[in-house]
Amino acid sequence: MAVTRPRPRPVPWDEGFWERARAGTLAVQRCGECGAAQHYPRPVCVRCRSDLLRWETAGGAGTLHSFTVVRVPLNKAFADEAPILLADVELAEGVRVLARVLGREPADDDIGASVEVTMVPVEPDGVPLPHARLVDGART
Amino acid sequence: MSREARVVGIAETPFVRNSPHSAVQLMCQAIEAALADAHLAATAVEGLAICTMTVPDDAPFLAEAMGFELGWIDKCDQGGAAAVTSLIRAMHAIEAGYVDVVVCVGGGNRDPRLDHDSVLTIGDYSRRNYVAPLGYGGPNSMFGLIQRRHMHEYGTTLEQLGTIAVTQRRHARANPNALLREEMGLADYIGSRLIADPIRLLDCVMPCSGSAAVVLAAADRVAPDLPHVPVRVAAAAENVNHQVRDPLPDRLSTGVRALAPRLFRDVARDDLDFVQLYDDYPIAVLMQLEDLGFAEKGKGGAFVEQTDLAFDGTVPLNTGGGQLSCGQPRSTGGFVGVVEAIRQLQGRAEGRQVPDARAGLVTGIGHLAHSTNLACTAGLVLERSDPWR
């Protein structure tokens, strides 16, 4: 049985995220009324319920909140890539983003360390997804 | 008082790794057995609550296949919390005077061709678009992130988490329906292979096949020849989407925090004779112990280290072995704790009976969110209905 990798399937309110992703930028939603940031994208601001949401380009700076090493991916189509490192990143914009890890594998005491998040194309269709890299030497 | 609801019947099919029966067939078997346990005929059933997440057929069609004409039906799609929420909904339907006899049921088969839930792909768009495309490991990796953070922030150790798994395994050895009954020590737990670091093999529930059902009836419809004591609901509470408005939610805080004050209004936490906490992972049990107030946040590790969690100890935990040792037949998982709680209150937990169990807590947790932990949490305090009825 052929297994295919799950791909993002945009919904009306997150099309803007994927348009910007394809252009290589990571976007977060910012509320035009209360100023709150949120990720993942929602149809309304979950804090004040306004639908005046705009896309803000994230700078990419963040800290490592947690990480895991996926040795058994849920979807077997990822088996050839295992182990897959996933990081829970707190962006400077004040939201948390799940990302793959590039470069050095984090250790337990890297939690709280600075990371840089970029959008990197992922097979099979090349849609860029968030990837985090430890910025060595810096710690917040 | 005749409109009060009573739990009158329970049943589990044998939990097995592989079953030739489909999830729906297994559910039919559990329903028959639970009705026999309740001393009620299938024709008495007026309501059905089916615990399943993504049914390709809606609940009415499942009920039709099972041969039920009903006055009330519900589909409970709160994942691991669904068994508890199905009992809450059944109780409300009975107490509202809407129906007299309701069956709550869940069932699953590990083989996707024989299961009912697996037919559809992930429905939730946040996981579909922002988690799954990264190649995540399902709940294993979501709890990997949570456990890593708990260990980092509070110094929780593998030995402390392993104590939960090892105690439950000891309980499972007295439960004939537990799939995993071989002896297991702390070294086995710590030495088991990594699945989604720091989550290990013996942290993870084992998927299996089986079904469970619970029968509730209005107090005046309890069968006069019922050979065991009926059980009543002393308190019930649910929470959905804890911390949803916080852009940086605390991954280590669960909706169980919001349940605690509502659950312990009539029966105090210290008066519980046991707790059956939803246990897809030991770290999930530890966080619930904290959020229920058994320990301060971050001190759950020290609590399990210093507390006897055995069935004859001070805080008997998951006395039938929990899902970690019984196995998890998909959406039926939440029934493992529910059925064990009722068994204990009825004095039917042979070999692991909590002495004079009069009141106990059972929780359910379900659905993992993108950046918090659990979307659904629910709890029930159950107690013996003395005098009889």
Side-chain angles (χ1 to χ4, degrees), chain A residues 89-106:
Chain A
V89 175
E90 274 187 27
L91 291 178
E93 285 74 15
V95 296
R96 210 171 284 149
V97 169
L98 198 62
R100 277 203 185 188
V101 176
L102 289 175
R104 181 168 75 76
E105 180 174 335

Side-chain angles (χ1 to χ4, degrees), chain B residues 8-256:
Chain B
V8 290
I10 48 172
E12 283 172 343
T13 67
F15 288 0
V16 293
R17 272 294 266 176
N18 302 301
S19 166
H21 300 298
S22 74
V24 182
Q25 288 171 299
L26 293 167
M27 284 193 255
C28 287
Q29 292 166 16
I31 291 170
E32 288 313 299
L35 286 168
D37 191 57
H39 285 223
L40 290 170
T43 49
V45 176
E46 295 176 350
L48 192 61
I50 301 178
C51 299
T52 179
M53 284 180 276
T54 54
V55 286
D57 306 320
D58 288 318
F61 295 107
L62 286 172
E64 189 197 26
M66 296 172 182
F68 286 112
E69 180 173 350
L70 302 164
W72 177 92
I73 196 163
D74 204 354
K75 184 186 89 170
C76 296
D77 60 358
Q78 293 86 356
V84 169
T85 58
S86 73
L87 262 71
I88 296 174
R89 279 148 186 68
M91 173 187 77
H92 288 156
I94 290 169
E95 293 187 350
Y98 210 59
V99 283
D100 284 343
V101 177
V102 178
V103 180
C104 301
V105 65
N109 192 308
R110 195 172 71 89
D111 181 340
R113 291 164 302 180
L114 291 168
D115 198 43
H116 210 68
D117 291 354
S118 322
V119 181
L120 301 181
T121 54
I122 298 172
D124 165 44
Y125 118 95
S126 72
R127 257 180 308 161
R128 193 183 72 216
N129 280 4
Y130 298 94
V131 183
L134 295 164
Y136 83 137
N140 296 337
S141 66
M142 300 308 272
F143 273 101
L145 293 170
I146 292 166
Q147 183 172 318
R148 168 98 58 195
R149 184 73 201 180
H150 205 286
M151 293 172 82
H152 171 81
E153 208 163 312
Y154 299 125
T156 305
T157 66
L158 293 177
E159 285 77 7
Q160 292 166 340
L161 291 161
T163 299
I164 293 170
V166 168
T167 306
Q168 291 189 199
R169 179 59 61 86
R170 221 158 48 227
H171 292 156
R173 289 171 63 77
N175 180 357
N177 210 23
L179 259 182
L180 300 171
R181 296 170 64 197
E182 60 275 21
E183 266 190 75
M184 180 182 116
L186 215 44
D188 299 314
Y189 167 82
I190 293 170
S192 65
R193 76 186 160 92
L194 285 162
I195 300 293
D197 316 17
I199 293 287
R200 294 160 152 69
L201 183 67
L202 292 178
D203 278 306
C204 307
V205 279
M206 184 177 75
C208 71
S209 309
S211 174
V214 175
V215 182
L216 289 89
D220 60 359
R221 290 291 303 276
V222 176
D225 58 344
L226 191 71
H228 40 258
V229 64
V231 166
R232 65 180 293 275
V233 175
E238 295 177 43
N239 180 272
V240 182
N241 298 331
H242 179 55
Q243 315 179 84
V244 68
R245 293 190 183 88
D246 189 340
L248 292 174
D250 181 358
R251 264 209 191 274
L252 309 180
S253 166
T254 74
V256 171

Side-chain angles (χ1 to χ4, degrees), chain A residues 13 29 38 40-46 49-53, chain B residues 125:
Chain A
W13 66 84
Q29 272 182 321
Q38 63 186 14
Y40 58 94
R42 324 277 178 101
V44 294
C45 168
V46 293
R49 314 211 56 75
S50 166
D51 60 0
L52 293 173
L53 296 162
Chain B
Y125 118 95

Side-chain angles (χ1 to χ4, degrees), chain A residues 18-136:
Chain A
W18 296 110
E19 274 168 31
R20 285 162 181 78
R22 278 188 292 272
T25 55
L26 171 62
V28 299
Q29 272 182 321
R30 178 76 68 183
C31 177
E33 288 198 41
C34 78
Q38 63 186 14
H39 181 80
Y40 58 94
R42 324 277 178 101
V44 294
C45 168
V46 293
R47 191 162 134 207
C48 77
R49 314 211 56 75
S50 166
D51 60 0
L52 293 173
L53 296 162
R54 52 188 172 75
W55 297 106
E56 179 176 304
T57 300
T63 57
L64 184 66
H65 188 70
S66 191
F67 67 97
T68 184
V69 186
V70 180
R71 293 166 196 275
V72 187
L74 183 66
N75 189 307
K76 289 181 174 56
F78 288 109
D80 58 334
E81 284 192 66
I84 295 169
L85 268 87
L86 294 185
D88 205 8
V89 175
E90 274 187 27
L91 291 178
E93 285 74 15
V95 296
R96 210 171 284 149
V97 169
L98 198 62
R100 277 203 185 188
V101 176
L102 289 175
R104 181 168 75 76
E105 180 174 335
D108 283 346
D109 62 2
D110 285 317
I111 289 180
S114 294
V115 293
E116 180 74 28
V117 179
T118 53
M119 296 296 277
V120 177
V122 167
E123 292 309 312
D125 54 9
V127 172
L129 300 176
H131 284 60
R133 185 190 293 273
L134 280 162
V135 183
D136 276 311

